[in-house]
């Protein structure tokens, strides 16, 4: 119930990552379903890892503002890097660093790879899974109070199912035609969002480093 | 020796319409302007009366000239630039009179005293749909300290968008007028080649601000990206974050609204940045008026493309006889076309059959809106400036 109730907020929190990512996928509901499933599975893995950690650490992480800021800041910086690598350099994510041509932007409208690799969806899904958004923290507090580790894991798994329902509308993006202009817009938006995550994460980390 | 072409005496182009017919066609707009400003005559002081009379004369004269010469862009620009440059005068004067400063303190935001700006509209949609929350520190209904409430401004925007569509950007938006002014100063372009893909950037910024505003529950554009905060109101600088925000606002304003329009003679902020402009382009789909190209007359001279202030024309679009989605119906392309190939068009009718009729119908709607909205802003600013004069 918690997952269902906080779904819109989860959607809003993960939207800045999922939306540009899905928009740079090739057209087709099946491709979208596959990518979204990988994304959600990786997100579940992130949830379960967090559930285990939080259960072992008690309420320490979710209550300690300092600890949370380090995690939050680092995850945001990693999300920025993930968005840049997988949404912008994609479909040649692997070569992104080896082939940083001067005219990279020329290829920003290049057609998407018809058979996208799962790494991007998995990396972004995992990172959003451990991103400490407000609903996630509420669930964390509840999980930490549970008597056993399996109970905490189960709680997070059910919480995940509740929130995952809200992601299904993203499948409809599969029917939208991918023109070069459309892809350029999606990739530019991904760059802007990556800048935002990078800026926000870096400011959190700098603030913590200076003020403790 | 002068070439025969140069030696030939210049004959002025004949007027498009007779004076009598032009006056006749201007009459409805003159009456509309009078009607709009009747409340000013009944309520306010002498300065407001002078402002109202000046604006009625100004708007009516410009409309008459549009009728007489058949040119649109040339005369509309006087109004639009005046609106752009005078809006901040009245707005800042009102802010300073109300709270003594242009900056808005955090307490005023919390109490919902921020005047609503139409730029926020697309950012409100997702949070309002999912959580029934308005993510703007203004009040829904007008209050004594904030008459520019969300409901009033959204109402004005909806009505005007219905009538003019994307022409909002060339008849209503005071911000666009500032750029148009700076673009009008130089005689020639200093930078000629601009990558046409830049026109996709506003769409990316629109996607960015809409998604992030929903995630952060705050109007991201206003907090971080609005160049016009520089000449309207900005959050009081009290931290590193607010100082960075202010730095971004000033840099964007200087670059996109002053320097680049001056160098390119284009409205660079509108064409390559404004997310609201991109959002407004969507309404071109439902608006009745558009610009079309008569392929039989067009000689592909590219005069219209050079004249377009927002790169709303491409070689392919002209070949297809259409503009791109971001056309704001300013009329520059029609005015510049020497072959009468660029024409105003009413959707559903045959292209180039009665272009002047389409232009007239469009102009009556657009100019009426411009007089109602922009006219009242101009009148208010003129009255404010008269108040500054040292003599009574
Ligand atoms: S593009 Fe934006 S700033 Fe320019 S006129 Fe339109 S709404 Fe105003
Ligand atoms: S296409 Fe013509 S009417 Fe449209 S914005 Fe460009 S110059 Fe103005």
């Amino acid at each position: 119930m918690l997952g269902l109730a906080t779904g819109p907020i989860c959607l809003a929190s993960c939207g800045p990552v999922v939306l540009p990512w899905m928009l740079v996928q090739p057209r087709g509901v099946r491709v979208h379903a596959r990518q979204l499933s990988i994304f959600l599975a990786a997100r579940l893995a992130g949830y379960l890892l967090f559930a285990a950690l939080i259960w072992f650490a008690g309420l320490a992480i979710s209550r300690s503002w300092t600890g949370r800021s380090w995690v939050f800041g680092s995850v945001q910086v990693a999300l920025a890097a993930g968005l840049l690598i997988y949404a912008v350099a994609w479909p040649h994510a692997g070569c992104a660093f080896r082939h940083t041509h001067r005219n990279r932007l020329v290829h920003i409208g290049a057609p998407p790879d018809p058979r996208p690799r799962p790494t991007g969806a998995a990396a972004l899904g995992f990172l959003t899974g451990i991103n400490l958004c407000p609903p996630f923290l509420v669930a964390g507090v509840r999980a930490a109070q549970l008597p056993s580790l399996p109970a905490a894991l189960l709680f997070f798994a059910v919480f995940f199912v509740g929130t995952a329902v809200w992601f299904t509308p993203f499948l409809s993006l599969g029917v939208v035609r991918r023109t070069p202009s459309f892809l350029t817009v999606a990739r530019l938006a991904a760059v802007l969002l990556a800048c935002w995550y990078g800026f926000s994460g870096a400011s959190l980390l700098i603030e913590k480093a200076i003020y403790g | 020796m002068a070439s025969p072409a140069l030696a030939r005496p210049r004959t002025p182009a004949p007027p498009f319409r007779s004076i009598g017919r032009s006056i006749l066609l201007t009459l409805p707009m003159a009456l509309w302007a009078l009607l709009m400003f009747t409340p000013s005559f009944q309520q306010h002081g002498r300065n407001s009366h002078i402002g109202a009379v000046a604006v009625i004369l100004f708007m009516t004269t410009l409309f008459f000239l549009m009728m007489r010469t058949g040119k649109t862009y040339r005369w509309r620009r006087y109004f639009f630039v005046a609106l752009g440059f005078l809006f901040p005068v009245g707005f800042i004067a009102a802010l300073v009179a109300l709270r003594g400063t242009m900056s808005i303190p955090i307490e005023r935001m919390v109490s919902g005293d921020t005047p609503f700006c139409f730029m926020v509209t697309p950012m409100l949609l997702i949070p309002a749909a999912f959580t029934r929350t308005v993510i703007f520190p203004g009040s829904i209904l007008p209050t004594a300290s904030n008459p520019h409430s969300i409901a009033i401004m959204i109402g004005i925007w909806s009505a005007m968008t219905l009538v003019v569509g994307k022409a909002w950007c060339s008849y209503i938006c005071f911000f666009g007028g500032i750029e148009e002014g700076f673009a009008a100063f130089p005689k020639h372009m200093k930078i000629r080649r601009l990558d046409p893909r830049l026109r996709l950037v506003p769409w990316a910024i629109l996607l960015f601000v809409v998604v992030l505003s929903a995630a952060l529950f705050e109007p991201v554009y206003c907090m971080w990206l609005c160049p016009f905060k520089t000449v309207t109101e900005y959050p009081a600088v009290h931290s590193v974050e607010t100082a960075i925000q202010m730095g971004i606002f000033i840099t964007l304003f200087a670059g996109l609204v002053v320097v680049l329009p001056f160098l390119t003679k284009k409205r660079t902020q509108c064409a390559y940045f404004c997310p609201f402009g991109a959002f407004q382009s969507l309404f071109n789909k439902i608006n009745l008026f558009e610009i079309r190209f008569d392929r039989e007359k067009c000689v592909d001279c590219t005069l219209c493309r050079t004249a377009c202030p927002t790169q709303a024309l491409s070689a392919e679009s002209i070949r297809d006889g259409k503009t791109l989605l971001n056309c704001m119906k300013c009329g520059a392309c029609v005015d510049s076309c020497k072959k009468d190939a660029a024409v105003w068009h009413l959707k559903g009718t045959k292209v180039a059959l009665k272009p002047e009729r389409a232009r007239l119908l469009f102009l009556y709607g657009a100019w009426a809106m411009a007089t109602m909205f922009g006219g009242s802003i101009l009148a208010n600013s003129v009255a404010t400036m008269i108040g500054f004069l040292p003599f009574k």
Side-chain angles (χ1 to χ4, degrees):
Chain A
M1 284 311 283
L2 179 66
L4 272 179
T6 60
I9 300 176
C10 296
L11 199 62
S13 302
C14 295
V17 177
V18 187
L19 193 72
W21 165 249
M22 294 304 264
L23 291 179
V24 298
Q25 302 303 313
R27 191 182 184 187
V29 178
R30 265 179 60 184
V31 183
H32 276 64
R34 209 173 73 107
Q35 291 292 308
L36 193 63
S37 314
I38 298 168
F39 178 90
L40 289 175
R43 188 163 159 267
L44 176 63
Y47 271 29
L48 295 181
L49 176 76
F50 184 77
L53 278 178
I54 209 163
W55 190 81
F56 281 122
L59 290 177
I61 297 183
S62 57
R63 283 214 182 128
S64 141
W65 173 245
T66 313
R68 213 162 72 192
S69 297
W70 284 117
V71 178
F72 204 39
S74 313
V75 171
Q76 291 206 340
V77 171
L79 266 175
L83 266 178
L84 275 182
I85 294 172
Y86 291 108
V88 180
W90 193 82
H92 306 294
C95 341
F97 293 116
R98 269 174 278 144
H99 300 278
T100 34
H101 341 134
R102 265 176 300 126
N103 54 353
R104 181 101 229 150
L105 207 67
V106 172
H107 300 292
I108 206 158
D113 187 347
R115 290 174 53 77
R117 275 171 260 161
T119 35
L124 294 174
F126 182 76
L127 286 171
T128 52
I130 55 170
N131 196 10
L132 304 184
C133 64
F136 196 62
L137 286 173
V138 176
V141 172
R142 181 78 190 90
Q145 291 164 341
L146 291 172
S148 67
L149 178 61
L153 292 179
L154 185 69
F155 176 80
F156 256 100
V158 175
F159 173 70
F160 164 82
V161 174
T163 59
V165 173
W166 287 90
F167 284 76
T168 45
F170 283 119
L171 290 179
S172 61
L173 296 175
V175 296
V176 183
R177 197 157 60 91
R178 263 53 172 181
T179 59
S181 306
F182 183 94
L183 285 166
T184 304
V185 168
R187 286 174 187 165
L188 285 175
V191 173
L192 291 171
L193 287 161
C195 292
W196 168 260
Y197 277 121
F199 169 74
S200 159
S203 356
L204 262 177
L205 294 178
I206 292 169
E207 201 181 308
K208 281 298 122 193
I210 295 176
Y211 301 110
Chain B
M1 209 174 86
S3 72
L6 286 179
R8 206 179 297 143
R10 280 178 154 213
T11 43
F16 183 73
R17 242 188 217 102
S18 70
I19 291 185
R21 263 186 79 79
S22 302
I23 291 177
L24 213 62
L25 288 168
T26 308
L27 219 53
M29 274 336 297
L31 289 175
W32 172 261
L34 271 175
L35 194 73
M36 284 297 106
F37 288 98
T38 307
S40 305
F41 292 120
Q42 287 165 351
Q43 290 164 6
H44 301 110
R46 196 188 53 143
N47 292 355
S48 304
H49 295 174
I50 300 175
V53 171
V55 170
I56 292 172
L57 289 175
F58 181 59
M59 298 302 282
T60 311
T61 309
L62 290 179
F63 195 83
F64 168 80
L65 291 168
M66 284 187 197
M67 297 300 106
R68 172 91 170 131
T69 60
K71 301 285 181 200
T72 312
Y73 181 80
R74 185 173 160 196
W75 306 114
R76 180 207 62 90
R77 190 160 76 176
Y78 287 106
F79 152 72
F80 201 54
V81 174
L83 177 65
F85 281 87
L86 291 186
F87 166 75
V89 175
F91 190 79
I92 294 170
L95 283 185
V96 173
L98 199 69
R99 58 169 103 112
T101 165
M102 261 173 84
S103 72
I104 180 159
I106 196 85
E107 317 83 68
R108 305 292 295 225
M109 283 199 208
V110 173
S111 59
D113 276 354
T114 319
F116 184 78
C117 168
F118 50 81
M119 294 269 185
V120 193
T121 314
M123 285 172 273
L124 298 182
L125 301 177
I126 297 180
F130 280 101
T131 62
R132 287 201 232 137
T133 311
V134 176
I135 54 160
F136 185 81
S139 46
I140 304 269
L141 296 174
T143 60
S145 55
N146 182 11
H148 304 104
S149 70
I150 296 170
I152 298 253
M153 295 303 279
I154 294 262
I156 292 175
W157 166 76
S158 320
M160 297 201 173
T161 296
L162 221 63
V163 179
V164 296
K166 165 80 171 169
W168 169 282
C169 297
S170 47
Y171 290 83
I172 313 282
C173 178
F174 26 80
F175 298 139
I178 305 179
E179 289 173 76
E180 195 154 317
F182 283 110
F185 275 126
K187 254 202 143 62
H188 303 289
M189 295 172 184
K190 312 254 178 321
I191 299 177
R192 286 185 172 272
R193 286 185 63 83
L194 288 161
D195 192 321
R197 283 170 306 175
L198 285 173
R199 62 168 92 90
L200 297 174
V201 176
W203 294 97
I205 298 180
L206 177 66
L207 190 60
F208 167 73
V209 295
V210 167
V211 173
L212 204 59
S213 299
L216 302 179
F217 242 61
E218 61 184 31
V220 170
Y221 180 79
C222 316
M223 307 276 297
W224 293 97
L225 294 175
C226 178
F228 298 105
K229 286 269 187 287
T230 316
V231 288
T232 52
E233 64 176 349
Y234 47 81
V237 176
H238 54 74
S239 62
V240 177
E241 186 178 285
T242 42
I244 294 176
Q245 288 169 335
M246 210 45 217
I248 295 175
F249 299 151
I250 295 173
T251 311
L252 287 174
F253 185 82
L256 291 170
V257 182
V258 182
V259 178
L260 281 175
F262 191 83
L263 295 176
T264 60
K265 285 186 77 61
K266 302 273 176 223
R267 282 169 60 178
T268 43
Q269 191 279 147
C270 302
Y272 310 129
F273 189 79
C274 181
F276 184 80
F279 176 64
Q280 204 67 18
S281 302
L282 297 172
F283 298 96
N284 262 352
K285 288 268 181 208
I286 53 167
N287 193 251
L288 286 177
F289 300 96
E290 61 185 354
I291 304 290
R292 293 292 291 267
F293 295 87
D294 186 344
R295 289 305 306 158
E296 283 172 14
K297 290 184 184 166
C298 180
V299 290
D300 289 323
C301 65
T302 74
L303 275 179
C304 54
R305 266 170 76 192
T306 313
C308 179
T310 53
Q311 283 209 329
L313 295 171
S314 66
E316 303 80 57
S317 77
I318 297 175
R319 250 196 314 277
D320 293 345
K322 290 177 182 163
T323 66
L324 298 171
L325 192 60
N326 60 336
C327 167
M328 56 180 183
K329 294 164 213 166
C330 65
C333 52
V334 183
D335 282 9
S336 69
C337 181
K338 301 232 183 318
K339 301 282 173 194
D340 291 334
V343 288
W344 293 86
H345 177 238
L346 179 64
K347 284 181 190 164
T349 63
K350 198 167 176 305
V351 175
L353 188 63
K354 291 204 165 100
E356 183 55 16
R357 186 175 290 179
R359 172 179 174 260
L360 276 180
L361 284 174
F362 168 77
L363 273 182
Y364 276 125
W367 207 249
M369 293 292 137
T371 307
M372 186 168 80
F373 188 69
S376 56
I377 291 173
L378 283 178
N380 175 42
S381 299
V382 170
T384 307
M385 289 194 308
I386 297 172
F388 290 148
L389 294 177
F391 49 85
K392 292 281 167 226

